[in-house]
Amino acid sequence: MTTDPLLLTGEVQASTARLLGTAAVLDEVGLAAASLLPGWSRGHVLAHLARNADGFVNLLTAARTGEPRPMYASPATRSGDIEAGAARTADAHLDDLRRSADRFGEAVAAMPAEAWTATVATPGGPRVAAELVWCRLRELEVHHLDLAAGHRPADWPEGFAHRLLHEVATDLANRPDVPAMVLRFDGTRHELVIGARDGAPVVAGPAPDLAAWLIGRGGADLLTVTPEGPVPNPPEWM
């Protein structure tokens, strides 16, 4: 998948449309049901995605204007906004998702070419502004899965699944608490090695299922391990 933020904008728009399609069939009872995230209902997930879009607008504005602006006013404000929005009506959720997505699209369109090279302060550390569109796409696709409303890893676009798998595997390879393993996907054509290859189990499966497993979204039962044994236990994705 391309890293060009302007080309990725189309992927974000398509992902947003898929999310809105799922959200549109959820009534208040469905929104109150548990998501895959402990302690969060589906309403919490949708409220988070709307506020996340606004958070990225803040970062894009900071990159464009050169004026420091945090993604969220504070961790407490972020949590409070999600909690306050979780129990809204289905129509209110849809309206908020659409409007926040439109604001994100407008902020991307307003970026001059040179602003994409600016560094912004995200909660996870500094990032180049050009990475923010990918970050938004990742939030949309992963949290769409968290709704537990029919969207599966197999529904991820192929390019997204491959990029997410490579990104997470690279991050894990730099951590000392990760068990050694070889990830084999798309049959036997591609491998990613984490830790020392010698003696490491080979974990094989489709790229989307491997990526979902690595980020703690289940799917271990869809993978095979050679030599036969338990699937390794990767640490929590951060």
Side-chain angles (χ1 to χ4, degrees):
M1 176 171 283
T2 179
T3 58
D4 186 319
L6 297 182
L7 293 179
L8 275 179
T9 299
E11 297 290 336
V12 169
Q13 291 170 344
S15 182
T16 299
R18 290 191 292 272
L19 174 71
L20 289 170
T22 297
V25 301
L26 297 174
D27 58 15
E28 279 69 23
V29 173
L31 287 167
S35 73
L36 296 183
L37 296 176
W40 271 18
S41 67
R42 288 171 174 154
H44 284 89
V45 175
L46 294 183
H48 163 64
L49 282 169
R51 300 290 69 75
N52 173 262
D54 287 335
F56 280 122
V57 170
N58 288 335
L59 295 179
L60 290 167
T61 302
R64 178 173 56 82
T65 64
E67 298 177 1
R69 181 179 294 202
M71 187 170 186
Y72 303 105
S74 69
T77 299
R78 172 187 176 275
S79 298
D81 287 345
I82 293 171
E83 196 63 41
R88 291 174 300 181
T89 66
D91 287 343
H93 273 293
L94 274 176
D95 183 65
D96 193 19
L97 286 168
R98 291 192 182 104
R99 289 176 181 272
S100 59
D102 287 346
R103 289 190 291 269
F104 176 81
E106 291 165 1
V108 169
M111 289 281 284
E114 63 274 12
W116 290 113
T117 64
T119 299
V120 294
T122 77
R127 277 191 177 272
V128 176
E131 299 175 1
L132 298 179
V133 179
W134 159 254
C135 292
R136 175 59 180 171
L137 178 61
R138 187 179 59 198
E139 288 286 312
L140 285 164
E141 287 296 331
V142 171
H143 287 311
H144 194 170
L145 195 74
D146 290 332
L147 287 175
H151 192 64
R152 304 165 301 156
D155 297 319
W156 284 341
E158 181 180 4
F160 171 82
H162 279 254
R163 180 168 178 179
L164 179 64
L165 177 60
H166 281 78
E167 180 180 81
V168 176
T170 299
D171 290 343
L172 291 177
N174 295 320
R175 293 176 57 177
D177 56 343
V178 180
M181 66 184 90
V182 177
L183 306 177
R184 185 172 294 163
F185 53 102
D186 291 346
T188 60
R189 290 182 295 152
H190 302 293
E191 289 184 346
L192 293 170
V193 181
I194 298 176
R197 176 188 284 272
D198 291 346
V202 176
V203 184
D209 293 328
L210 283 166
W213 163 65
L214 285 179
I215 64 173
R217 264 64 180 187
D221 57 320
L222 302 174
L223 308 175
T224 61
V225 183
T226 307
E228 187 174 350
V231 177
N233 187 26
E236 183 179 1
W237 180 50
M238 294 184 293

